[in-house]
Amino acid sequence: MVPEPEFESYYGRPILKQPTWKTPDVPLYLFLGGLAGCSALLAEGAAATGRPDLERVARLTAAGGAAAGTVALVHDLGRPERFLNMLRVFKPTSPLSVGSFILAPFSALSGAAAATEVTGRFPRLGRLAGVGAAAFGPPLATYTAALLANTAIPAWHEAHRELPFVFGGSGAQAAGGLAMLLVPCDQAAPARRMALAGAAVEVVAAETILKKGLVAEPYRIGRPGRLMKVARNATTVASAITVLAGRRSRLLSAVAGATYVGASLATRFGIFEAGLESARDPKYVVVPQRERMRARAAH
Amino acid sequence: MGSLWGRLDDVQGDAGYGSPSEHPPRMGFFTDTSVCIGCKACEVACKEWNSVPEDGYLLTGMSYDNTQELGASTWRHVAFVEKPLDVPAVDLGMPAMGAPDTEGVTWLMSSDVCKHCTHAACLDVCPTGALFRTEFGTVVVQPDVCNGCGYCVPACPYGVIDLRKDDGRAFKCTLCYDRLKEGQTPACAQACPTESIQFGELTELRERAARRVEELHDRGVDVARLYGADPDDGVGGDGAFFLLLDEPEVYGLPPDPIVTTRDLGSMWRHVGAAAATLVGLGVASFLGRRR
Ligand code: SF4
């Protein structure tokens, strides 16, 4: 046990404001952005290598995820009717602004690609749109890390180097996992590989965050801590099944895929809620800042 | 895009208002808490002048502080700290009305407000441009543009700005932008009976504050210190800064705030690297065995 650090505060009250972002809207949006973005990549690969079932599922997931994510994002606004104000200016200092300029074209392109997939009309235009969506996909899956990190919330901000890899890996895991659930095994090999590789990236980056001492404590204890543990265990189980039986058993492949999707969801909720916890307790602000001041004074 | 971090001597120029001769000087607050008597006149004047709605009344048990914190509908907040006395009382040159006669207790009172940061995270992260830098160097929300995304709320290192629940939009101190445009003093400073809240040109206020600290130190008040006055600090200095008589965290202030956008370059680089990793990972997934 590490002893509770001593620090002063104003009646134990928080220094930072609680983020007003709603649960489940925002963690769900983080998840859907990763799922949709990586599915767009999967769809293009499937189209290029002639895997029609995988292509269809991935295109529909990309479009559906983007649409649902947009709904979640708009629903979270205090003034949803003013959603378009997001596109009024482009501000590189605001990840939410940058993200709006990623989400809007991604939604349009992935929607167009899915529409041609379903109707069978204008297949070439659809393919072109799909390539466009695949270009916006990886930024869509990773910019959300900057969205959380570019705040004063210690648990998020201090993880700004690792979070993009956690979110990217988690998105790959979700996209690969969902395709494993919905696509026959003989076309799902790329989905399995994407999920496995995504899981590896995510686990390594998340472990690095968890080791960060007091600022990372919210990721280790309480409800967010439990969510992070569930996510890690689910990822491990899903990866083991995928390696051992993903190629042969349709059923086990589906189970592993669903487990990957669940793990990705748990990761997003865990990280989101750890940030809320980190804003609630003044020790996460005062103690690291005091340490920083002492280190500076020692120079 | 203006500068994100470090010393910045002309905030307005950085925000596009041209050279110093083309815009008014930067205006701000110096809140000298050593003469605050906790009357809350500032809170009341602010509410009245800005028509800030009532936001509930709660008996908190936190000394005389039932206001609790700054928020969407509280733009001045007087903090009250009662600490057991371990040093002999010194005459701070307070007006005679003073705090209640409580022996054995040191009273700390401080009127908190938005810091109108040189590098304001709230403004940087605002995706709509609702938050903007005025010609006076202050930071103001335009309610007709704000869409209530709430990004400014966790971005502020001081926990100042918040969304108004029933309204959905973000609100905070405007440093009485309307009064400034008329050449008037902000309502809180105007109402303060002890000149604890001083309004003026920031450069002049900083000089005045340095003199006041020196004077207090000469009188043996070694605990007196400035907070937010240093243009080389983590937010490039505050437009509203303070003279405190204890550590900042005792008043609910962060001891060493750093604007989040200092690390923006690193964040985008890592996002880019992670996105590139995904592209590589996507391509690699289609190599190798077909089934
Ligand atoms: S104190 Fe907070 S709300 Fe005020 S200008 Fe600075 S970042 Fe914005």
Side-chain angles (χ1 to χ4, degrees), chain A residues 136-180:
Chain A
F136 281 103
L140 179 66
T142 51
Y143 94 84
T144 43
L147 180 70
L148 296 193
N150 198 20
T151 60
I153 309 295
W156 292 341
H157 185 88
E158 298 307 323
H160 69 262
R161 292 181 193 83
E162 295 84 5
L163 269 186
F165 293 93
V166 174
F167 281 14
S170 183
Q173 193 180 331
L178 194 68
M180 286 166 66

Side-chain angles (χ1 to χ4, degrees), chain B residues 113-117 119-123 131 133 139 152 155-161 172 238:
Chain B
V113 69
C114 167
K115 316 300 178 286
H116 295 275
C117 309
H119 299 294
C122 61
L123 190 162
L131 273 147
R133 180 81 56 186
V139 179
C152 50
C156 171
Y158 300 97
V160 169
I161 194 164
K172 71 167 192 72
D238 293 327

Side-chain angles (χ1 to χ4, degrees), chain B:
Chain B
M1 194 167 96
S3 76
L4 299 175
W5 153 257
R7 194 187 177 107
L8 177 61
D9 288 327
D10 181 14
V11 257
Q12 295 102 306
D14 189 59
Y17 287 101
S19 69
S21 61
E22 294 169 78
H23 57 72
R26 184 173 181 191
M27 305 305 280
F29 285 132
F30 164 40
T31 306
D32 178 354
T33 71
S34 69
V35 291
C36 176
I37 54 170
C39 70
K40 304 191 194 180
C42 49
E43 286 190 15
V44 176
C46 174
K47 282 250 183 193
E48 288 287 335
W49 179 262
N50 294 297
S51 310
V52 177
E54 178 264 354
D55 55 351
Y57 184 69
L58 195 79
L59 290 172
T60 60
M62 299 172 353
S63 187
Y64 283 35
D65 181 4
N66 295 319
T67 311
Q68 305 181 61
E69 60 185 6
L70 292 174
S73 299
T74 306
W75 300 351
R76 269 276 176 192
H77 161 233
V78 182
F80 291 77
V81 179
E82 293 174 52
K83 272 194 154 184
L85 197 63
D86 48 8
V87 283
V90 265
D91 181 14
L92 296 170
M94 289 236 198
M97 52 225 282
D101 193 18
T102 35
E103 263 177 64
V105 167
T106 42
W107 276 82
L108 299 177
M109 286 154 250
S110 167
S111 178
D112 196 9
V113 69
C114 167
K115 316 300 178 286
H116 295 275
C117 309
T118 300
H119 299 294
C122 61
L123 190 162
D124 286 342
V125 303
C126 175
T128 63
L131 273 147
F132 77 109
R133 180 81 56 186
T134 72
E135 65 272 34
F136 302 104
T138 55
V139 179
V140 174
V141 195
Q142 306 171 77
D144 54 332
V145 180
C146 175
N147 69 3
C149 76
Y151 204 168
C152 50
V153 178
C156 171
Y158 300 97
V160 169
I161 194 164
D162 205 356
L163 299 188
R164 203 173 276 164
K165 287 236 160 40
D166 50 355
D167 179 288
R169 292 172 298 177
F171 293 92
K172 71 167 192 72
C173 161
T174 70
L175 217 137
C176 282
Y177 188 34
D178 52 341
R179 294 175 67 98
L180 259 57
K181 279 193 282 198
E182 300 299 321
Q184 291 177 330
T185 299
C188 55
Q190 182 88 53
C192 178
T194 67
E195 290 185 348
S196 169
I197 300 175
Q198 303 176 29
F199 165 76
E201 288 183 27
L202 191 59
T203 37
E204 201 272 312
L205 290 178
R206 281 177 179 158
E207 287 161 19
R208 201 189 298 174
R211 281 197 302 274
R212 174 68 179 157
V213 175
E214 223 171 280
E215 179 193 331
L216 286 172
H217 285 178
D218 285 348
R219 274 205 257 153
V221 190
D222 295 331
V223 288
R225 82 226 37 211
L226 294 181
Y227 177 81
D230 180 2
D232 292 309
D233 71 13
V235 296
D238 293 327
F241 65 97
F242 302 80
L243 185 153
L244 303 178
L245 297 176
D246 205 329
E247 300 295 351
E249 54 266 42
V250 170
Y251 299 87
L253 296 164
D256 184 38
I258 292 183
V259 62
T260 173
T261 38
R262 179 192 66 171
D263 300 319
L264 188 73
S266 165
M267 286 178 221
W268 284 134
R269 273 196 303 281
H270 284 87
V271 165
T277 304
L278 279 185
V279 173
L281 194 150
V283 171
S285 302
F286 287 90
L287 305 175
R289 197 157 35 181
R290 172 125 192 119
R291 282 163 200 274

